[in-house]
Amino acid sequence: MALRMLEAMLFASDEPLGKAELAARLPEGSDVEGLLREIEHAYSGRGVNLVKVAGKYMFRTASDLAFLLQRDAHDQKKLSRAALETLAIIAYHQPVTRAEIEEIRGVSISKGTIDVLMEAGWIRMRGRRRTPGRPVTYGSTETFLVHFGLEAIGDLPGLDELKGAGLLDGRIPPGFSVPEPRDGDALTDDEDPLDPGDLLAAGLSEHD
């Protein structure tokens, strides 16, 4: 029964589920890890697979069948070159400010580029840098990990893989590098929490 319940929850959810969330809805004493392994094995050769993304679990189309949904995904998430490069820089260099993004790319970015990425749910405002002007810092989101099938930000590909995936084209911005990416919600030593009005302003921007 616990196995069927777990399978049903995973199929019904439109977002990844963590072990704690799953365990809370299963009979007491259920071996969640063992049940997840059993489902993963049972679906390993089917059209959908159980995968771990953002540290949680969900069903996804098997990788060899992804082409069936490729056009739909492309239409929904079609981004400009500037937005793709900005997304890659934020993912690898987070926490990063707009000025730092522009320094890495070598060109300025419009506010609209940041807005598009926030509306897609792939980046978020993290905090404010402890420097003059207290600029906002940006980082990636769980939605970003889920969309690109990553268990953690440390699983991001290298420069060649980024180019092959279309996240960067052949014209790499001067000075662009691929550092060891880091994630986590905790602010770094040079970040302050967001001001009370920051998130409200972001919400209004998303609905403009």
Side-chain angles (χ1 to χ4, degrees):
M1 175 63 73
L3 181 65
R4 295 180 62 218
M5 292 172 65
L6 184 60
E7 184 179 30
M9 284 189 286
L10 290 166
F11 260 117
S13 178
D14 58 359
E15 59 186 23
L17 298 175
K19 291 180 183 178
E21 296 174 86
L22 295 168
R25 303 180 187 181
L26 293 176
E28 186 175 353
S30 297
D31 179 8
V32 178
E33 289 193 14
L35 293 171
L36 286 168
R37 286 195 298 270
E38 190 172 343
I39 292 176
E40 183 178 14
H41 176 73
Y43 282 85
S44 61
R46 298 188 184 181
V48 293
N49 302 147
L50 181 66
V51 298
K52 190 176 182 182
V53 291
K56 300 179 181 180
Y57 295 85
M58 68 183 302
F59 281 113
R60 299 201 78 157
T61 303
S63 58
D64 62 322
L65 299 177
F67 70 92
L68 294 171
L69 305 177
Q70 188 172 13
R71 185 165 61 182
D72 290 340
H74 177 74
D75 290 343
Q76 293 172 10
K77 300 294 183 181
K78 186 176 182 179
L79 299 177
S80 67
R81 171 178 169 247
L84 289 171
E85 289 182 354
T86 299
L87 176 62
I89 291 169
I90 291 173
Y92 280 91
H93 291 260
Q94 60 187 303
V96 62
T97 66
R98 177 176 170 177
E100 291 164 347
I101 295 169
E102 292 177 337
E103 182 179 358
I104 293 170
R105 289 194 68 229
V107 296
S108 62
I109 58 172
S110 68
K111 181 180 181 296
T113 298
I114 295 292
D115 289 343
V116 165
L117 294 175
M118 291 190 67
E119 288 169 6
W122 289 349
I123 67 169
R124 64 185 177 90
M125 296 189 298
R126 287 176 46 94
R128 286 187 173 272
R129 184 80 76 209
R130 291 179 181 173
T131 57
R134 301 181 67 246
V136 170
T137 56
Y138 296 94
S140 59
T141 65
E142 180 178 294
T143 301
F144 171 83
L145 296 177
V146 171
H147 183 83
F148 290 99
L150 301 171
E151 183 176 343
I153 204 70
D155 296 326
L156 279 168
L159 191 59
D160 290 339
E161 289 86 352
L162 282 173
K163 291 169 64 178
L167 282 174
L168 290 175
D169 64 14
R171 299 168 56 195
I172 304 301
F176 182 79
S177 61
V178 180
E180 184 67 27
R182 59 184 176 182
D183 61 355
D185 293 331
L187 297 176
T188 58
D189 292 338
D190 63 348
E191 286 181 289
D192 284 325
L194 291 168
D195 294 332
D198 288 332
L199 294 177
L200 176 61
L204 291 174
S205 176
E206 289 180 11
H207 292 90
D208 286 347

